[in-house]
Amino acid sequence: MSDRYRRISYAVWEITLKCNLACSHCGSRAGTARNQELSTEEALNVVEQLAEVGITEVTLIGGEAFMRPDWLTIAKAISDAGMRCTMTTGGFGISLETARRMKDAGLALVSISIDGLEAIHDRLRGKKGSWQSAFKTMSHFREVGLPFACNTQINRLSAPQFPLIYERIRDAGVVAWQIQLTVPMGNAADNADILLQPYELLDLYPMLARVVSRARREGVEVFPGNNIGYYGPYERLLRGQGEEWSFWQGCGAGLNTLGLEADGTVKGCPSLPTSAYAGGNIRDRSLREIIDRAEELRFNLKAGTAEGTDHMWGFCKTCEFAQLCRGGCSWTAHVFFDRRGNNPYCHHRALARAERGLRERVYPKRAAAGLPFDNGEFAIIEEPINAPWPQNDPLHFSAHRIQWPEGWEDEPEIVLPVMVQSAR
């Protein structure tokens, strides 16, 4: 196989958009199945194509993946083809018997979404009892010996409870935890009040660093999502173990990541808005051809060249990390401003603004259309850091709202490794 087809090694595959939850922050607006979702025969052919182009790991998602009747057939085919098969789920309604079948099908790891303590989680997930069911699912995985992790959306509802969330999932037996910031895609675009403001990152990141440090000491590996961090004082701590090269090095969409939708649409990243980044459909062209030729999957191939920053604008265009960072997570930037290249969710940016006595705030300018993976458009304003906060904003996040567990008062001070004090 030519090396050019090996640039993508990880795929996230939405096998159905049908879902048994109704999350207020769901980017795909999941609920009912897409029109003309792939048949079993077509899906098994996709498995063959994924293996052929060099994919080494496939994560099954939805909607809710297990709402598709043949989902375990697909999972087993992935595993039998020599690829690692993982899954992300809301965990609502997975029985002990289903957990056994999942392990028998070859699933290597399952990640359960936990977005708060019980009341907040159920509120965000749109169904009472979803928190209890998710933890029951974890107990089933533990009983059958199927390794499991958790993933958490960080927003104004979940952020104050973040340390408490960690303790609950640690005690449940997770081996890993993925965290990311909620951004205005899909349903979350319609609920902008729950989104963190860029200035609030200044209180968020010291808390994240403290929790992540403790989690790693206690044996839980933490994986930051692509919109976490960016060259603040905790960058290497959050993105690795403090190693010198553990820092953000640009969007990987189409470079190491692939996204597939249930109707066969292919994108360079599963989170990217479909209308702007769909590179084709496997019903029309082979996966190999889409990867090799679709311009929508190739926009990051100019990384490291003089043209690699042509798309950037605003603060990101002027930043000293511009050529390396390339505007952070393309998904995050696009769903805020309807184009990539200027990312408001950047710790370095918030710190740089604060040094000048400024802060940034975003607000909705144009509503989303109401389609899966859609976005509206936000405007950003710069204002004095000591300006009065807008009225009627009860969810405003600050360090004073953080709920620390008992016994954390003696948490050792975080000692940043050499060269981490500044990521420059």
Side-chain angles (χ1 to χ4, degrees):
M1 184 187 303
S2 171
D3 286 343
R4 62 180 172 163
Y5 300 126
R6 290 187 178 276
R7 78 170 196 260
I8 295 174
S9 60
Y10 175 58
V12 179
W13 186 2
E14 169 210 284
I15 58 174
T16 182
L17 202 58
K18 189 174 182 180
C19 192
N20 57 4
L21 296 173
C23 303
S24 58
H25 55 312
C26 178
S28 64
R29 300 185 186 271
T32 58
R34 291 183 186 273
N35 292 329
Q36 297 184 316
E37 293 190 345
L38 298 177
S39 67
T40 301
E41 182 181 4
E42 289 173 319
L44 294 179
N45 178 259
V46 170
V47 173
E48 294 177 2
Q49 293 190 58
L50 288 168
E52 180 184 331
V53 299
I55 298 295
T56 59
E57 180 175 346
V58 181
T59 296
L60 300 179
I61 63 169
E64 182 56 81
F66 66 73
M67 300 294 289
R68 181 178 168 125
D70 60 357
W71 71 290
L72 287 176
T73 300
I74 296 171
K76 187 175 187 305
I78 293 168
S79 181
D80 288 348
M83 296 176 286
R84 187 171 188 259
C85 184
T86 58
M87 175 183 175
T88 298
T89 175
F92 186 78
I94 294 179
S95 67
L96 180 60
E97 176 57 29
T98 298
R100 288 196 181 98
R101 293 173 61 209
M102 291 167 70
K103 185 179 182 185
D104 292 343
L107 279 158
L109 179 78
V110 181
S111 182
I112 302 95
S113 300
I114 299 294
D115 292 323
L117 300 185
E118 186 169 1
I120 292 297
H121 177 93
D122 286 1
R123 172 180 170 181
L124 284 168
R125 292 275 149 185
K127 183 163 291 189
K128 188 173 179 59
S130 60
W131 192 86
Q132 292 283 355
S133 185
F135 276 84
K136 186 68 173 176
T137 291
M138 286 188 242
S139 72
H140 294 331
F141 292 155
R142 197 170 188 171
E143 184 170 342
V144 302
L146 178 56
F148 61 94
C150 280
N151 58 85
T152 296
Q153 292 260 350
I154 303 172
N155 50 56
R156 285 168 143 199
L157 294 176
S158 63
Q161 300 181 341
F162 190 77
L164 297 175
I165 296 170
Y166 163 66
E167 288 209 327
R168 300 302 191 280
I169 65 172
R170 175 204 63 194
D171 293 347
V174 298
V175 297
W177 188 21
Q178 184 182 49
I179 57 176
Q180 69 177 31
L181 305 182
T182 302
V183 302
M185 170 179 271
N187 291 344
D190 306 336
N191 296 287
D193 59 323
I194 71 171
L195 302 174
L196 288 161
Q197 287 290 345
Y199 175 66
E200 293 170 332
L201 300 181
L202 297 178
D203 281 347
L204 179 77
Y205 276 104
M207 176 193 70
L208 294 188
R210 185 176 174 186
V211 176
V212 168
S213 294
R214 186 177 185 115
R216 289 186 173 139
R217 290 200 311 273
E218 294 179 343
V220 177
E221 187 56 70
V222 183
F223 296 93
N226 289 337
N227 61 15
I228 293 284
Y230 310 137
Y231 314 111
Y234 309 112
E235 171 71 5
R236 290 186 174 94
L237 184 152
L238 293 172
R239 207 165 290 284
Q241 297 284 358
E243 295 89 349
E244 184 175 352
W245 291 97
S246 295
F247 54 85
W248 173 257
Q249 298 182 48
C251 173
L255 294 180
N256 51 38
T257 306
L258 186 74
L260 295 94
E261 295 181 354
D263 61 0
T265 300
V266 181
K267 302 183 292 188
C269 167
S271 300
L272 288 170
T274 305
S275 60
Y277 295 96
N281 192 293
I282 53 93
R283 284 177 167 142
D284 303 322
R285 291 190 290 171
S286 70
L287 184 59
R288 174 174 287 187
E289 184 179 358
I290 293 172
I291 292 172
D292 194 38
R293 299 183 182 179
E295 288 302 316
E296 294 85 354
L297 272 68
R298 297 172 60 84
F299 63 86
N300 278 321
L301 293 184
K302 297 177 182 178
T305 71
E307 300 174 282
T309 59
D310 286 350
H311 67 289
M312 297 176 69
W313 57 282
F315 177 91
C316 290
K317 183 73 172 180
T318 67
C319 180
E320 60 264 46
F321 300 112
Q323 190 165 359
L324 177 63
C325 178
R326 290 177 280 119
C329 173
S330 297
W331 163 56
T332 300
H334 191 108
V335 296
F336 268 111
F337 302 128
D338 206 31
R339 59 172 169 148
R340 63 192 182 96
N342 188 29
N343 191 336
Y345 274 177
C346 169
H347 194 199
H348 165 70
R349 177 175 179 155
L351 289 166
R353 287 290 189 247
E355 287 177 0
R356 297 179 53 201
L358 301 170
R359 72 184 184 204
E360 290 182 322
R361 190 159 47 84
V362 294
Y363 61 92
K365 176 180 174 183
R366 174 176 57 84
L371 302 172
F373 291 99
D374 67 348
N375 63 275
E377 186 178 355
F378 282 63
I380 189 164
I381 61 173
E382 186 178 271
E383 57 193 8
I385 201 168
N386 58 356
W389 199 259
Q391 295 181 348
N392 302 317
D393 189 12
L395 297 181
H396 174 40
F397 173 77
S398 69
H400 300 293
R401 296 194 60 214
I402 299 170
Q403 301 168 36
W404 293 104
E406 293 184 14
W408 283 48
E409 297 84 0
D410 298 326
E411 183 75 8
E413 181 180 352
I414 295 174
V415 178
L416 298 176
V418 177
M419 296 181 65
V420 177
Q421 298 293 338
S422 171
R424 303 180 187 185

